[in-house]
Amino acid sequence: MDDGQIGVTGIIDHKPLAPGEGVGCISYETALMRTITPRAEDFDELGHVNNVVYLRWVQEMAVTHWHLISPAERVAGEVWVALKHTIEYRDPIEPGETAEIRTWLGPYKGPRFERNVDIRKPGAKRFSARATTEWCRLSSVTRRPLRIDDETLDVFGVKGLL
């Protein structure tokens, strides 16, 4: 497949951001949040959202956040790749239920940034799944790592917060 055939998939809820939404996301309380309704094919033989689907949502929420807050030239010039996922499952989401997905940023070092994702039923005290992913920022052209710089922190609205 050549680069001309590669497209971005998995954006959750294309609605524009409200003023200030998506910036300064450093905790559950300040996280970017989207609601998702599982599709019929998201359920497994146990009748709840499959574990692989939760992981897909983790990936899609990260992509959604980056594409919503970043200028087009940044999106075109950079790509984020997952280096490691840690995911924990607690409260299954079943047919007819929706999920709120929140994402926020954690520590960074060099080209690596930690991102947290919490998936739970609306109003639930306990998560259905939560994940921490270590992401690496790369140049879209060279595929070489790019350090997390002040400009990147500014895009996320987290400069001086982390």
Side-chain angles (χ1 to χ4, degrees):
M1 175 184 287
D2 67 45
D3 285 348
Q5 294 174 312
I6 299 171
V8 176
T9 60
I11 301 293
I12 298 173
D13 192 358
H14 289 276
K15 75 175 183 180
L17 292 172
E21 184 183 15
V23 296
C25 300
I26 59 168
S27 67
Y28 178 88
E29 293 74 26
T30 60
L32 175 68
M33 194 272 289
R34 290 291 183 260
T35 301
I36 194 163
T37 301
R39 303 175 307 221
E41 61 269 21
D42 292 338
F43 297 97
D44 60 20
E45 65 274 5
L46 298 174
H48 55 69
V49 170
N50 185 280
N51 292 359
V52 174
V53 173
Y54 287 114
L55 189 56
R56 186 184 80 224
W57 291 347
V58 166
Q59 172 92 14
E60 289 176 357
M61 193 60 178
V63 170
T64 297
H65 189 204
W66 178 245
H67 282 256
L68 286 174
I69 65 166
S70 301
E73 62 274 4
R74 292 287 305 245
V75 170
E78 301 172 18
V79 63
W80 294 83
V81 296
L83 300 176
K84 178 174 77 171
H85 294 288
T86 303
I87 190 163
E88 183 178 4
Y89 307 97
R90 288 280 180 219
D91 185 20
I93 296 172
E94 298 175 342
E97 296 179 320
T98 60
E100 292 179 346
I101 306 175
R102 289 176 174 79
T103 188
W104 65 95
L105 301 171
Y108 66 94
K109 183 175 182 181
R112 298 172 182 217
F113 222 135
E114 187 175 284
R115 178 183 287 278
N116 301 286
V117 175
D118 179 282
I119 303 168
R120 66 181 64 200
K121 299 170 195 174
K125 300 266 187 252
R126 185 167 66 161
F127 63 87
S128 293
R130 70 177 172 193
T132 301
T133 302
E134 186 176 305
W135 290 91
C136 184
R137 179 177 170 240
L138 302 178
S139 162
S140 294
V141 175
T142 67
R143 302 293 200 250
R144 307 238 342 134
L146 299 170
R147 293 185 70 77
I148 306 300
D149 56 12
D150 284 347
E151 188 177 325
T152 303
L153 297 174
D154 284 339
V155 169
F156 283 119
V158 297
K159 187 175 174 185
L161 300 176
L162 296 173

